Amino acid sequence: MKRSLTTIIYLLITLTVFLIAVIPGCSHNASLIPEDAIRESRLPAIAPDYTDIVIPPSIAPMNFVIREEGKKYVVAIYSVHGDTISIATDNPAIEIPIESWHNLLDVNKGETLSIDVGVESTDGSWRRFETITNTISDDDIDSYVMYRRLKPLHNYWRTMRIMERNITSFDESLVFGNAGIDHGCCNCHTTLGNNPETMLIHTRSSLGAAMLLVRNGKVAGVNSRTPFKAPIAYSSIHPSGKWVAFSVNRVKQYFHAAGDEVREVIDLDSSLGLYSVETNELLAISPELTLRDRLETYPAWSPDGKYLYYCSAALPWSEEEKNVADTDITLPPGYKNIRYDLMRIPFNSGDATWGTPEVLVSSEVTGKSITQPKVSPDSRFVVFSMADYGCFPTYQPSCDLYMLNVETGEYLPLPSNSDRCDSWHSWSTNGRWLIFSSKRSDGIFARLYFVHCDSEGKTGKAFVLPQKNPAMYDSFLDTYNVPEFSIAPVAVTNKDFASANAALEDINGIDVAVTTATPQAPKADDIRKQ
Amino acid sequence: MHGRWSQSLQRYSRNILFFAALLCALVYAVDPRIIYHGYGIHGRGLIPFPAFFKGADFFGSHLLYPGGLLDYATAFCTQLLYFRYAGSLLILLGLILLSRLSRSIAQAPSGFMPSTYIPALLVFAGFAQYSNEFTSLIGLVLSLAVLWLYRLISARFPRFEIPVFALLFAALYYTAGVFSLIFGAMCVLFDLLNNKRYVAAPVMAILSAALYYIGDTILFDHVFGDDITRLFPWYGHEVDYRMAVYAGWALYLYYPVMLIVYRLRRPTSFDNAVSVSEKSCPGAQKSKTSSFIWRRITLAECALIRDSLLIVAAVAMVYYAAYDEKWGSLLKINSYARQGRYDDLLAAAKKIPLKNYNTFVNHEVNKALYFKGELATKMFDYPQNVKGFVSAAYTYMDMIPRMDTYCRLGFINHAERQAFEALEMFGEYPAVLKYLVYIKAAKGDSQAARVFLNVLKKDIIHGKWAKETEAAMDKDPSLGGDPFVAQIRAVMNTTDYSRFLHPLEDRVADLVNQNKNNEMAYEYLMSLFLLTKHVDKIGEILEQTGVSAATPPPRYYREALFIDKAMKKEPLDAGNSLIGRDTFASGTRYLELLQRFGRNVDAAKIALAPEFGDSYFYYFSFSFSGAKR
């Protein structure tokens, strides 16, 4: 008995030694960098760039690759409280143990997170770099992000997916894939206040144009065709959940023969509308939002529901030119002169009536085109995209994000902007984090970036969504867009969405005034005269 | 000892011959490279390329769903189709395993069993149609191997038959997905027909369905039964793979029939050549005075000769039955184009009947002629269609050929667009990724080029190229030392216009105006003028480029100059240095002959073809070329 016990103990010791030897470089002791290491007076080159940033306290481990020549790498991650995470490895890709990481961040909110990096050169000497310092924010972040993941598409597509990522870990799951809708297009999605209990997704497929509306754990499919010759597109759910403000857009894609960006997307016409969720009908909307000589798009409710923000530009072409451009694939004249203003219009949710619209930021002043307004949860700030021209910032390398202080009217570019397209942004529930997609790394593939925003609307340096394999983005051929924070995972399944898409209900009362399709829609001058 | 060896040889000689015949057919007739290069080709359907990458991430992604490992194996095997011999040997290995396992399932004796060759021949028929049948082949082999294992275990431990079945089914479901249902069905059939287990068989049938349902709906959150379509022979095939589809159905029919047949009729002397090998040939027994050679021929040897002929005939028959002339020739053209085998391409194009000679072939033939420096001297030896000249038909099927042509001509953004379209529709196909590297590098987007390089670095075939290119890019981010990148950069378009803003000739002319050294654009422009019969433009351009008698223009330009002068009724002079004496003589003769036919165009077309079928005179008169063929 005693002998067998001894054998078991020996076996356990052997197993422990074996595991330590076999699991490469995962010793979590504080052996760290040798004392005699040469000190480099610079930060180590790491990718992604996780230096000098403010990070959410619940973010997934921010794994990185050390881009320094060497044969061994030692990393120590520490803060004021808790245990240091020590990693010694011969692999420059540093994968941080998730549990230790969360433990460290949990007890150090508001503190500095330090990262020491040491590299052993091929000649056996060690180099120690300056300490990387980041700040662990006190401000929580929504745990999920929903986004569209697809290849950089032009005309054809095979796979399109709306995905959901738990940003406290590396779990990514499918919300809705186009396999269930005959490989059609699944595009705009939005939630009510970042809560996916009420959300919608738009689809276009051989099964029709659909608005898939999630409420009370069920999905309803609505045939989203309108008399505008285009289905419902960009949407925003009113905070009461009663209405969906939407745009209808006659979108056309063109291709450039030269230049960095091949694609060009233009709204030949667009207008706004209002859908009543409860009665499944289109409601009459302010004539100011359906002007025949203006392009209105990108509706966004303020979180208090009192204003509808949107973008509006003068229609630069005649009806005839528009129809020619619609059937031709030649770029319409003056497309580079289309510049959108940032507007808002008061809304009385008591009787669903509208006030008088106002221009918040005029394109005449900026000389640029404003799109995609998103209002902060406290309604004090609006972040919008601004590019040289046009309605589709994704294909505009000049596109940057700007923050408007609604009270003062002052707007400034985000310091985190890059020289490539930064767009498709969204606020966290507490208004302390922004997520956006940026093509900064290579100009083709958009990645998701986070940036902290303080109570004064000041933002800092952005950082890319962490991945388990820190080198993933180097060879990842999907692009991310339309990221939206979410406080919980989407409760309905891919199958539920597909089933709802297969049984669409028509919208009632669609005979409301929208541009082009309904000649009774007024012109801006007529309205002003009234 | 010698006799035993001889017996063994006789016993296995048919098998060896059968598989040798298959190997020859795969190497010399099918040529796996045609399958590898055939992804993304006009009319062959939207079949994504099964990309394979080194590394744990790629492998790990295949562990997340049932059948992932089968996809992983298929992807790996597909890469080897890039090599003629390795690809053929790999297919052969699969076919040998399939045959061996089929024989084992049938409980057939060793030796010559013609019927057990049928599955191999049916799968070979798919490959002979240039269809990548690795998924079916590996899926079937796995199913049969597990069936063999099940029989082995259940024979020893009959009490555990059902648990063993369930365990193996689950393992196969995870490995090969829906192919586990084949295993389940075969087990049920086997137990019903061979073992007469009328209770166990239905239990296994129910268990198969239940396990598949649980796996699909509970464990992996699939739409139940979605994967079943993968078992249908038309899965991943377009209508043009008709023979592969028939072969697939026949394959499914084969196994139940085989089980019934072998149940009813155990092997006879016909099946086992060894059993008759000792018997003498009747002719030899009759007379000891027969010639020496006839005395030596035994019955077994007669059977061997007969069977050998049958085997070779069977393989040849299956190949020719499966071979689709139309798509086979188009895919050959495509494969030669991708490999830069322009002589082979032109030779293959000559054999294509006019009815199959589409814009895609036209497109590749002209490019091959350009590379051989024969565009202006031989293009009218082939059928020509102006629509196929620069851009083959504007469908998503011709993205890859178009991408290459646009790139070389200078239509850089159009090339980029085609490349991205192809990336989406056909997956991470190395040929497409390479072009994206070239295009982005040429446009100065080295960071974007690196993303594609990083993907290619994990490719088992093109990884070396990617690493070398990356090293070159580290030294020079513009990749200026790469001849192809330098060539693209030198000719790439800098004028922005929408695709159809100008006629094609204008856009190609714009390329020539931007860069006088853009030889391809120049030759294509001249050829376009020839095709559109703008003979006056030929003279204008030749004048601009300063062609002299010392460097006379190529044949078709001279013929165009002759026609231009004839049409303008300008004096035709044998001494015209640009037209040349030979062209003058043939042009004059052509006009004389043409005038003889008056308005009888059809008669003239037929009569003039033998002598002038490859000339521009003929094309100009009848809008038809390649008549000499």
Side-chain angles (χ1 to χ4, degrees):
Chain A
M1 184 67 187
K2 196 179 174 184
R3 192 172 175 176
S4 58
L5 192 67
T6 314
T7 313
I8 290 168
I9 291 168
Y10 275 124
L11 275 173
L12 283 173
I13 292 168
T14 314
L15 187 67
T16 311
V17 169
F18 173 78
L19 285 174
I20 290 168
V22 165
I23 299 172
C26 271
S27 56
H28 297 287
N29 53 47
S31 58
L32 297 185
I33 311 157
E35 288 297 318
D36 59 349
I38 302 159
R39 287 188 177 270
E40 296 269 4
S41 58
R42 63 177 175 89
L43 291 176
I46 65 166
D49 181 6
Y50 292 145
T51 63
D52 197 22
I53 52 175
V54 180
I55 63 173
S58 58
I59 193 80
M62 302 181 75
N63 297 335
F64 58 88
V65 180
I66 302 170
R67 300 261 198 243
E68 301 284 354
E69 281 292 318
K71 62 177 184 181
K72 277 187 184 166
Y73 304 86
V74 171
V75 172
I77 305 168
Y78 54 93
S79 186
V80 177
H81 312 289
D83 294 336
T84 296
I85 301 171
S86 302
I87 300 170
T89 172
D90 52 6
N91 185 349
I94 305 298
E95 292 193 21
I96 306 164
I98 189 164
E99 201 177 328
S100 313
W101 169 264
H102 281 306
N103 289 342
L104 187 68
L105 264 56
D106 278 348
V107 296
N108 287 292
K109 287 183 183 176
E111 303 288 355
T112 297
L113 182 77
S114 303
I115 304 171
D116 285 339
V117 174
V119 177
E120 186 184 7
S121 305
T122 44
D123 61 5
S125 65
W126 280 85
R127 290 182 295 157
R128 183 194 191 102
F129 296 88
E130 281 191 3
T131 301
I132 296 167
T133 54
N134 295 319
T135 305
I136 305 166
S137 174
D138 276 328
D139 299 317
D140 289 331
I141 191 167
D142 298 343
S143 297
Y144 291 85
V145 172
M146 211 185 321
Y147 46 84
R148 192 161 71 141
R149 222 186 78 185
L150 66 175
K151 292 269 186 307
L153 302 180
H154 288 65
N155 255 10
Y156 302 107
W157 67 83
R158 178 190 283 275
T159 308
M160 215 179 260
R161 285 169 291 196
I162 295 174
M163 306 294 290
E164 179 178 68
R165 165 75 190 266
N166 182 341
I167 58 172
T168 68
S169 67
F170 300 107
D171 297 338
E172 188 187 43
S173 54
L174 178 73
V175 173
F176 183 50
N178 68 344
I181 53 165
D182 194 22
H183 290 272
C185 175
C186 50
N187 41 46
C188 313
H189 57 270
T190 189
T191 59
L192 170 55
N194 295 355
N195 187 343
E197 280 184 12
T198 306
M199 65 173 285
L200 61 82
I201 293 175
H202 289 292
T203 70
R204 314 271 187 270
S205 70
S206 58
L207 306 169
M211 176 166 65
L212 307 177
L213 200 56
V214 179
R215 285 200 311 160
N216 308 319
K218 287 183 180 170
V219 193
V222 176
N223 178 357
S224 62
R225 282 276 163 206
T226 67
F228 189 74
K229 297 181 186 171
I232 293 174
Y234 307 116
S235 306
S236 177
I237 306 170
H238 189 269
S240 68
K242 290 180 183 173
W243 301 285
V244 174
F246 64 85
S247 67
V248 279
N249 310 60
R250 274 174 72 181
V251 186
K252 187 89 183 169
Q253 183 170 229
Y254 303 88
F255 299 100
H256 292 286
D260 287 342
E261 179 55 65
V262 176
R263 297 158 292 181
E264 183 75 67
V265 167
I266 293 168
D267 279 354
L268 293 174
D269 204 348
S270 66
S271 184
L272 297 182
L274 190 67
Y275 169 76
S276 166
V277 175
E278 288 169 345
T279 60
N280 182 33
E281 61 182 342
L282 293 192
L283 303 176
I285 197 167
S286 166
E288 292 269 17
L289 301 175
T290 59
L291 298 170
R292 251 195 294 168
D293 51 355
R294 304 282 298 179
L295 297 158
E296 300 94 353
T297 189
Y298 290 115
W301 292 106
S302 61
D304 56 15
K306 291 178 181 171
Y307 290 96
L308 181 70
Y309 288 75
Y310 64 101
C311 301
S312 170
L315 193 70
W317 35 69
S318 66
E319 193 69 22
E320 195 182 335
E321 284 173 327
K322 183 169 62 187
N323 289 331
V324 168
D326 206 4
T327 52
D328 199 359
I329 51 172
T330 303
L331 278 158
Y335 74 96
K336 282 198 173 179
N337 300 326
I338 302 172
R339 294 191 176 87
Y340 288 80
D341 304 324
L342 177 62
M343 314 275 294
R344 74 173 178 180
I345 184 168
F347 179 72
N348 184 339
S349 54
D351 54 3
T353 54
W354 302 88
T356 307
E358 61 178 312
V359 178
L360 294 177
V361 182
S362 166
S363 60
E364 282 184 18
V365 176
T366 62
K368 288 174 178 274
S369 182
I370 297 167
T371 50
Q372 302 175 333
K374 290 286 176 76
V375 191
S376 66
D378 59 7
S379 299
R380 290 169 58 212
F381 303 101
V382 177
V383 174
F384 55 83
S385 305
M386 194 150 75
D388 287 348
Y389 66 92
C391 66
F392 205 69
T394 313
Y395 300 154
Q396 299 285 333
S398 65
C399 185
D400 280 328
L401 296 175
Y402 286 73
M403 174 95 62
L404 168 74
N405 184 325
V406 179
E407 288 162 16
T408 63
E410 186 186 30
Y411 61 93
L412 290 168
L414 262 55
S416 55
N417 284 332
S418 68
D419 56 356
R420 287 177 170 140
C421 176
D422 301 293
S423 63
W424 291 121
H425 45 281
S426 134
W427 290 90
S428 67
T429 310
N430 60 6
R432 289 291 168 267
W433 298 95
L434 279 164
I435 186 167
F436 59 96
S437 66
S438 174
K439 296 184 181 175
R440 63 189 59 195
S441 59
D442 49 54
I444 298 176
F445 300 102
R447 312 298 189 202
L448 300 183
Y449 283 78
F450 297 87
V451 67
H452 182 255
C453 177
D454 69 14
S455 57
E456 299 307 310
K458 285 183 185 162
T459 59
K461 184 177 167 185
F463 62 92
V464 74
L465 172 71
Q467 299 291 352
K468 187 167 191 333
N469 172 6
M472 188 194 96
Y473 294 122
D474 294 347
S475 58
F476 192 58
L477 300 182
D478 278 4
T479 189
Y480 296 80
N481 64 29
V482 205
E484 297 248 336
F485 277 113
S486 176
I487 57 170
V490 176
V492 294
T493 65
N494 179 32
K495 286 179 216 166
D496 296 333
F497 281 116
S499 304
N501 202 108
L504 300 179
E505 194 179 343
D506 285 337
I507 298 176
N508 303 318
I510 54 171
D511 190 21
V512 293
V514 285
T515 316
T516 309
T518 47
Q520 69 267 33
K523 287 190 173 184
D525 284 348
D526 301 337
I527 297 279
R528 278 173 210 128
K529 278 176 200 164
Q530 286 169 20
Chain B
M1 191 67 191
H2 176 75
R4 196 180 242 183
W5 189 86
S6 173
Q7 274 183 16
S8 296
L9 184 69
Q10 282 197 11
R11 187 171 172 176
Y12 293 112
S13 56
R14 293 164 179 85
N15 291 346
I16 293 167
L17 182 70
F18 174 71
F19 290 114
L22 276 183
L23 183 63
C24 287
L26 285 166
V27 171
Y28 298 108
V30 175
D31 190 350
R33 291 174 295 182
I34 296 175
I35 302 173
Y36 182 89
H37 293 296
Y39 283 89
I41 292 310
H42 181 83
R44 289 297 276 186
L46 284 171
I47 300 164
F49 178 75
F52 179 88
F53 300 116
K54 288 181 279 185
D57 283 354
F58 183 74
F59 180 69
S61 68
H62 286 82
L63 297 175
L64 301 176
Y65 64 98
L69 289 170
L70 173 63
D71 288 347
Y72 186 81
T74 299
F76 176 77
C77 294
T78 302
Q79 310 311 308
L80 295 189
L81 297 177
Y82 185 78
F83 305 105
R84 184 180 203 166
Y85 294 103
S88 301
L89 282 169
L90 192 67
I91 297 169
L92 185 74
L93 178 69
L95 298 179
I96 290 172
L97 284 172
L98 187 66
S99 278
R100 185 69 194 85
L101 286 163
S102 299
R103 178 197 297 270
S104 157
I105 301 313
Q107 291 183 306
S110 58
F112 184 50
M113 294 289 296
S115 55
T116 55
Y117 292 159
I118 292 172
L121 279 172
L122 291 172
V123 175
F124 167 73
F127 281 107
Q129 262 214 326
Y130 302 112
S131 162
N132 182 357
E133 296 292 334
F134 271 127
T135 303
S136 306
L137 179 56
I138 300 168
L140 264 178
V141 164
L142 282 174
S143 303
L144 296 179
V146 174
L147 179 62
W148 174 81
L149 194 66
Y150 161 74
R151 282 173 47 188
L152 197 75
I153 299 170
S154 62
R156 285 196 180 180
F157 308 102
R159 284 200 307 172
F160 298 106
E161 185 187 39
I162 299 293
V164 165
F165 170 80
L167 203 68
L168 290 174
F169 185 95
L172 189 62
Y173 170 76
Y174 178 66
T175 312
V178 73
F179 281 88
S180 55
L181 290 179
I182 289 185
F183 161 70
M186 299 268 274
C187 280
V188 171
L189 270 176
F190 182 78
D191 265 9
L192 275 178
L193 297 172
N194 273 30
N195 299 340
K196 296 187 177 172
R197 289 180 181 163
Y198 299 118
V199 177
V203 169
M204 283 195 281
I206 294 165
L207 203 56
S208 299
L211 287 171
Y212 181 71
Y213 178 81
I214 290 167
D216 254 24
T217 57
I218 298 171
L219 296 178
F220 292 101
D221 193 29
H222 280 186
V223 176
F224 176 61
D226 243 17
D227 276 1
I228 288 179
T229 50
R230 288 187 74 163
L231 283 182
F232 296 143
W234 61 73
Y235 177 82
H237 290 141
E238 302 290 319
V239 283
D240 292 311
Y241 292 94
R242 210 169 286 121
M243 197 61 202
V245 174
Y246 295 153
W249 284 122
L251 195 58
Y252 286 142
L253 203 60
Y254 165 79
Y255 287 101
V257 169
M258 177 198 70
L259 283 174
I260 293 166
V261 167
Y262 279 93
R263 173 79 195 111
L264 297 175
R265 176 185 155 281
R266 287 293 176 194
T268 64
S269 56
F270 174 79
D271 299 312
N272 193 344
V274 178
S275 64
V276 295
S277 64
E278 300 302 319
K279 294 178 186 173
S280 301
C281 180
Q285 279 180 333
K286 263 186 196 171
S287 168
K288 286 183 181 177
T289 57
S290 298
S291 67
F292 173 75
I293 193 160
W294 280 108
R295 279 204 307 275
R296 292 290 300 268
I297 294 176
T298 61
L299 179 61
E301 283 162 344
C302 289
L304 180 63
I305 294 165
R306 176 202 64 198
D307 295 344
S308 302
L309 290 171
L310 279 175
I311 285 167
V312 174
V315 172
M317 211 166 69
V318 169
Y319 171 74
Y320 282 108
Y323 183 74
D324 181 309
E325 191 190 341
K326 180 185 171 191
W327 294 112
S329 51
L330 294 189
L331 286 167
K332 275 181 192 166
I333 294 275
N334 170 69
S335 178
Y336 297 146
R338 302 286 85 76
Q339 296 173 69
R341 292 163 58 187
Y342 300 118
D343 288 326
D344 291 336
L345 190 155
L346 294 172
K350 288 262 181 184
K351 292 178 194 162
I352 296 178
L354 197 60
K355 65 180 166 70
N356 294 339
Y357 201 101
N358 60 14
T359 52
F360 165 75
V361 181
N362 188 189
H363 182 98
E364 294 295 3
V365 161
N366 286 338
K367 203 156 53 174
L369 287 170
Y370 166 74
F371 283 122
K372 285 176 61 65
E374 295 173 350
L375 188 60
T377 54
K378 289 192 177 165
M379 68 180 279
F380 293 109
D381 201 11
Y382 299 85
Q384 290 293 342
N385 179 346
V386 72
K387 285 181 186 167
F389 195 70
V390 169
S391 51
Y394 266 103
T395 69
Y396 47 74
M397 302 295 188
D398 291 330
M399 288 164 184
I400 296 169
R402 274 208 303 272
M403 170 185 77
D404 176 69
T405 310
Y406 285 151
C407 227
R408 293 173 189 278
L409 271 174
F411 291 128
I412 187 81
N413 275 19
H414 295 333
E416 183 178 338
R417 180 187 157 202
Q418 295 303 322
F420 274 115
E421 303 276 33
L423 179 68
E424 171 64 13
M425 302 314 283
F426 303 112
E428 287 146 344
Y429 193 24
V432 175
L433 294 173
K434 272 189 177 181
Y435 268 90
L436 282 164
V437 171
Y438 289 134
I439 291 166
K440 296 315 283 185
K443 288 177 84 171
D445 298 338
S446 61
Q447 286 164 311
R450 279 181 190 277
V451 179
F452 301 111
L453 271 181
N454 286 331
V455 179
L456 275 170
K457 269 160 60 185
K458 294 183 274 184
D459 185 282
I460 56 172
I461 309 286
H462 305 277
K464 187 168 174 275
W465 173 87
K467 282 175 189 160
E468 287 167 1
T469 308
E470 187 188 42
M473 198 173 256
D474 288 342
K475 288 178 189 160
D476 173 15
S478 72
L479 268 187
D482 185 292
F484 191 48
V485 172
Q487 183 198 337
I488 301 172
R489 191 174 290 135
V491 300
M492 73 186 195
N493 180 29
T494 52
T495 310
D496 187 14
Y497 44 75
S498 185
R499 194 176 53 174
F500 287 123
L501 189 61
H502 306 297
L504 181 60
E505 293 94 310
D506 288 3
R507 284 184 282 139
V508 181
D510 190 44
L511 290 175
V512 177
N513 289 334
Q514 286 179 41
N515 183 348
K516 302 289 180 201
N517 296 321
N518 188 342
E519 284 177 22
M520 189 173 182
Y522 171 78
E523 285 204 30
Y524 269 50
L525 179 65
M526 296 294 263
S527 303
L528 277 169
F529 286 142
L530 290 174
L531 283 170
T532 51
K533 301 182 185 176
H534 286 107
V535 282
D536 52 331
K537 301 270 188 186
I538 300 286
E540 277 176 29
I541 292 180
L542 286 176
E543 252 178 52
Q544 286 168 15
T545 49
V547 176
S548 66
T551 53
R555 175 188 174 186
Y556 294 139
Y557 302 172
R558 281 183 273 133
E559 291 179 352
L561 287 175
F562 179 91
I563 293 167
D564 188 33
K565 288 210 177 286
M567 285 180 70
K568 288 175 181 166
K569 298 199 167 71
E570 289 176 10
L572 284 162
D573 174 11
N576 186 312
S577 59
L578 288 184
I579 293 174
R581 288 185 184 280
D582 291 348
T583 307
F584 179 81
S586 62
T588 310
R589 175 170 160 69
Y590 180 82
L591 285 177
E592 281 172 16
L593 290 170
L594 191 64
Q595 277 165 3
R596 280 188 207 165
F597 290 94
R599 291 187 175 183
N600 194 347
V601 177
D602 290 341
K605 198 172 171 183
I606 294 164
L608 293 171
E611 190 178 350
F612 293 98
D614 62 345
S615 72
Y616 184 58
F617 300 133
Y618 190 88
Y619 175 83
F620 194 85
S621 304
F622 306 111
S623 299
F624 180 76
S625 64
K628 261 195 169 180
R629 289 147 43 87

